[in-house]
Amino acid sequence: MNNATTDEYGLVTELVRSSNARGGQGQPSRIERDYVNPMRIMGLSLPPEYADDVRDTQFAFERAMSKLNKATQGIKRDLSVEIDKNAVPNAKAAWEEGRVALNSFFTILNTATGLKDELKLIPPSGPNQVAEYGRSIRRYNEFMKKTKLCQNRGGPALSQAWGQLMVSGYLQDSCGVEPMDQYFFQ
């Protein structure tokens, strides 16, 4: 977020937007689906001595994302609008607040599971943030592309079933997704 242009702030709106269908059966936002719901599930599955702390970090993360949404509200990608002078500092402050809350969640999970530094903390914004984090953006994009391709082919179970029906005699993984332990331990 530190090096982001204001044009990229329009993407935040897409992350927090939920689509509401008739009858209240809508799609949750991406933030809700990919972050808040897993936090809620983990909080409910952990022992009581950790559950309250997880819930507190979840609420702190939700508040930060709400502030980020408010700071970037009305900013759309490729739409030239005048941006309030407080929008950028408010967005950066909310982003930092969310990063701290997410790191707290990771620290609690690392402690609760006994796996020290299993979940890597997100370093503060700055010129060396990507280098300090140690994850490859290119590998992440390749992983997501292969995962989507695999899902479009019916998933790993269906691709294996089709592979067993092949006459060629060898089983080829049509998904091409690398094993998770190789990806997560870069």
Side-chain angles (χ1 to χ4, degrees), residues 18 31 69 89 95 97 136 155 177:
S18 61
I31 293 289
N69 184 29
W95 175 264
E97 191 178 321
S136 169
V177 178

Side-chain angles (χ1 to χ4, degrees), residues 37-52:
N37 280 341
M39 288 175 145
R40 189 175 296 124
I41 291 166
M42 292 303 295
L44 293 171
S45 64
L46 288 175
E49 62 265 19
Y50 299 109
D52 290 338

Side-chain angles (χ1 to χ4, degrees), residues 15 27-39 148:
L15 289 175
Q27 294 289 329
S29 69
R30 185 164 177 207
I31 293 289
E32 179 77 21
R33 186 181 64 238
D34 293 348
Y35 293 94
V36 176
N37 280 341
M39 288 175 145
K148 292 293 181 191

Side-chain angles (χ1 to χ4, degrees), residues 142-143 145-148 150 173-180:
E142 286 177 9
F143 177 74
K145 185 192 256 183
K146 287 179 181 179
T147 302
K148 292 293 181 191
C150 180
D173 181 16
S174 65
C175 285
V177 178
E178 65 181 306
M180 289 292 166

Side-chain angles (χ1 to χ4, degrees), residues 1-168:
M1 191 80 168
N2 192 31
N3 298 329
T5 65
T6 52
D7 189 41
E8 292 172 340
Y9 285 12
L11 296 174
V12 174
T13 307
E14 295 174 19
L15 289 175
V16 296
R17 181 182 60 219
S18 61
S19 60
N20 296 323
R22 286 184 283 194
Q25 298 296 321
Q27 294 289 329
S29 69
R30 185 164 177 207
I31 293 289
E32 179 77 21
R33 186 181 64 238
D34 293 348
Y35 293 94
V36 176
N37 280 341
M39 288 175 145
R40 189 175 296 124
I41 291 166
M42 292 303 295
L44 293 171
S45 64
L46 288 175
E49 62 265 19
Y50 299 109
D52 290 338
D53 294 335
V54 168
R55 192 178 69 240
D56 292 342
T57 59
Q58 173 200 332
F59 291 156
F61 182 77
E62 287 183 80
R63 279 191 302 273
M65 292 302 102
S66 177
K67 289 177 185 176
L68 184 62
N69 184 29
K70 287 178 185 172
T72 60
Q73 199 167 23
I75 301 173
K76 301 249 190 264
R77 191 174 182 147
D78 299 329
L79 181 65
S80 58
V81 294
E82 187 172 335
I83 297 173
D84 182 28
K85 64 180 179 179
N86 294 327
V88 174
N90 290 346
K92 286 182 180 182
W95 175 264
E96 182 63 19
E97 191 178 321
R99 183 193 69 81
V100 169
L102 193 59
N103 281 346
S104 292
F105 176 74
F106 290 163
T107 302
I108 293 167
L109 283 184
N110 283 339
T111 305
T113 59
L115 301 170
K116 185 178 168 65
D117 298 329
E118 182 73 17
L119 296 170
K120 291 184 84 165
L121 302 183
I122 301 168
S125 295
N128 296 328
Q129 184 182 30
V130 174
E132 287 177 28
Y133 187 55
R135 297 286 173 112
S136 169
I137 294 171
R138 180 190 55 79
R139 281 188 73 187
Y140 170 77
N141 288 334
E142 286 177 9
F143 177 74
M144 292 307 292
K145 185 192 256 183
K146 287 179 181 179
T147 302
K148 292 293 181 191
L149 187 62
C150 180
Q151 288 171 348
N152 288 341
R153 291 179 179 167
L158 188 58
S159 68
Q160 283 182 352
W162 282 109
Q164 290 174 354
L165 293 174
M166 293 174 57
V167 181
S168 62

